[in-house]
Amino acid sequence: MTRSRLLPLLVALAALGACAQGPTLDQRLSTFVGRGEADLVAALGVPVRTYEAEGRRFLQFEQRRNLLVASPLAAPYGPWGPRYGYWAPPPSYVQASCDLTFALRDQRVESFSYRGEACG
């Protein structure tokens, strides 16, 4: 292949690679279905809560992340243009969480669920 034909092909492949995403949370968690409790704890750590009901055992794991939130860019502007002498407030941190719950029957993961703004 000539160099002039190879360059557009490489650019297209690079663009496709940039769009590629890793596995979703559902895909990552579904690998635990059918595995034992010890495998789950080895991978995710000790659960924060456990509960047993109707022959099932529920294990809940918590994940917390601190996210940096920048101040809005429009803040230094008023209705008549820029506000001179105004400094935008510094960025701040917020805590985002994701709670994972696994249901086990006969010591094997049967299903899972999750909730929170940091899941994904």
Side-chain angles (χ1 to χ4, degrees):
M1 217 176 213
T2 65
R3 191 174 204 159
S4 62
R5 287 185 172 179
L6 187 60
L7 184 59
L9 179 63
L10 290 176
V11 170
L13 288 174
L16 284 175
C19 294
Q21 303 241 343
T24 65
L25 181 61
D26 283 321
Q27 292 168 334
R28 291 190 311 250
L29 295 179
S30 66
T31 61
F32 292 109
V33 174
R35 294 174 64 184
E37 183 175 345
D39 291 339
L40 191 61
V41 172
L44 300 177
V46 177
V48 293
R49 285 181 220 40
T50 60
Y51 183 78
E52 294 191 30
E54 299 178 9
R56 293 168 67 190
R57 181 172 166 87
F58 297 90
L59 304 178
Q60 183 178 359
F61 298 87
E62 292 179 350
Q63 295 179 341
R64 305 282 181 255
R65 290 191 299 187
N66 289 325
L67 303 174
L68 182 65
V69 178
S71 60
L73 294 176
Y77 294 93
W80 298 282
R83 295 180 191 167
Y84 297 104
Y86 175 83
W87 286 276
S92 60
Y93 288 93
V94 296
Q95 190 176 67
S97 64
C98 181
D99 295 327
L100 307 169
T101 303
F102 291 88
L104 289 82
R105 186 181 302 272
D106 299 325
Q107 300 176 350
R108 297 275 174 212
V109 175
E110 181 178 70
S111 63
F112 61 88
S113 64
Y114 53 86
R115 68 170 184 237
E117 62 278 353
C119 298

